[in-house]
């Protein structure tokens, strides 16, 4: 996956490396980092490939089963839960997206970790509530997302939240 990141701007290279990461996981997949989950996300987002829900969930569950209860592992779980939530959001599966995004949000709040993942999670919750017509709830999340983005001085998150 690191070589996939080294392909920045070269979609064909990213797609090839994501496929290689997934293929290599069939041989040995004991990572406590969600590399294969992110490889599936790359294939969907960057390569416009059809990724099966059962493959994504299976990989998420395998990865999740390797984690301990220490802060670092729980932080990684929160990030992966946010990624799965975003995957469901992009596939218009709002109930599943809400469940995973709320879990990510819960983890961040429990750890008092108000970082980019937490900010983005609030933004995604706002998008879901907008899409289902729950505008008051959407407004609550986007206001929170904007405040966090401003506090972090993250112009990418600010712009994304405004959009």
């Amino acid at each position: 996956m690191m070589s996939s990141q080294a392909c920045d701007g070269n979609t064909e290279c990213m797609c090839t490396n994501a496929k290689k990461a997934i293929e290599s996981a069939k041989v040995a997949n004991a990572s406590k980092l969600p590399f294969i989950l992110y490889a599936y996300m790359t294939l969907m987002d960057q390569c416009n490939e059809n990724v099966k829900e059962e493959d994504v969930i299976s990989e998420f569950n395998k990865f999740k089963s390797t984690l301990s209860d220490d802060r670092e592992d729980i932080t990684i779980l929160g990030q992966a839960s946010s990624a799965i939530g975003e995957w469901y959001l992009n596939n218009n599966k709002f109930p599943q997206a809400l469940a995973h995004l709320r879990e990510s949000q819960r983890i961040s709040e429990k750890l008092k970790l108000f970082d980019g993942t937490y900010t983005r999670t609030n933004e995604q919750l706002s998008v879901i509530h907008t899409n289902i017509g729950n505008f008051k709830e959407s407004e609550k999340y986007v206001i929170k997302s904007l405040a966090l983005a401003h506090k972090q001085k993250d112009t990418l998150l600010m712009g994304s939240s405004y959009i």
Side-chain angles (χ1 to χ4, degrees):
M1 284 308 297
M2 295 305 285
S3 63
S4 182
Q5 290 176 349
C7 297
D8 191 31
N10 182 339
T11 303
E12 184 178 336
C13 176
M14 285 190 301
C15 297
T16 298
N17 286 338
K19 288 177 185 175
K20 286 180 182 178
I22 292 167
E23 193 59 35
S24 69
K26 293 176 183 173
V27 177
N29 186 13
S31 178
K32 287 180 82 172
L33 295 173
F35 291 125
I36 306 310
L37 181 62
Y38 293 142
Y40 280 126
M41 302 297 177
T42 298
L43 288 179
M44 186 187 84
D45 294 338
Q46 302 296 321
C47 310
N48 294 319
E49 291 204 15
N50 186 17
V51 177
K52 296 178 189 171
E53 179 178 355
E54 56 268 15
D55 291 340
V56 173
I57 295 305
S58 173
E59 190 55 44
F60 178 75
N61 288 333
K62 277 194 286 185
F63 154 74
K64 188 176 174 181
S65 72
T66 68
L67 300 177
S68 70
D69 289 333
D70 72 25
R71 183 179 174 87
E72 184 178 334
D73 281 5
I74 299 300
T75 299
I76 293 168
L77 177 60
Q79 293 166 346
S81 294
S82 182
I84 289 284
E86 185 172 0
W87 184 84
Y88 276 120
L89 171 59
N90 291 338
N91 285 283
N92 296 316
K93 295 185 176 192
F94 302 137
Q96 297 93 329
L98 281 169
H100 287 281
L101 292 169
R102 284 185 179 142
E103 177 63 8
S104 176
Q105 186 182 47
R106 185 195 65 75
I107 289 168
S108 291
E109 289 171 354
K110 179 180 178 185
L111 298 176
K112 296 183 181 0
L113 188 62
F114 305 113
D115 60 358
T117 298
Y118 183 70
T119 304
R120 180 89 173 127
T121 296
N122 278 282
E123 177 192 329
Q124 291 168 339
L125 288 165
S126 175
V127 169
I128 291 169
H129 285 286
T130 297
N131 284 327
I132 63 175
N134 191 352
F135 302 116
K136 288 231 183 261
E137 195 72 7
S138 175
E139 183 179 36
K140 177 179 88 173
Y141 287 115
V142 79
I143 288 170
K144 188 180 223 179
S145 176
L146 281 167
L148 289 161
H150 280 280
K151 186 174 183 177
Q152 295 165 30
K153 296 182 176 155
D154 188 322
T155 55
L156 182 61
L157 286 172
M158 283 181 222
S160 182
S161 292
Y162 277 119
I163 290 171

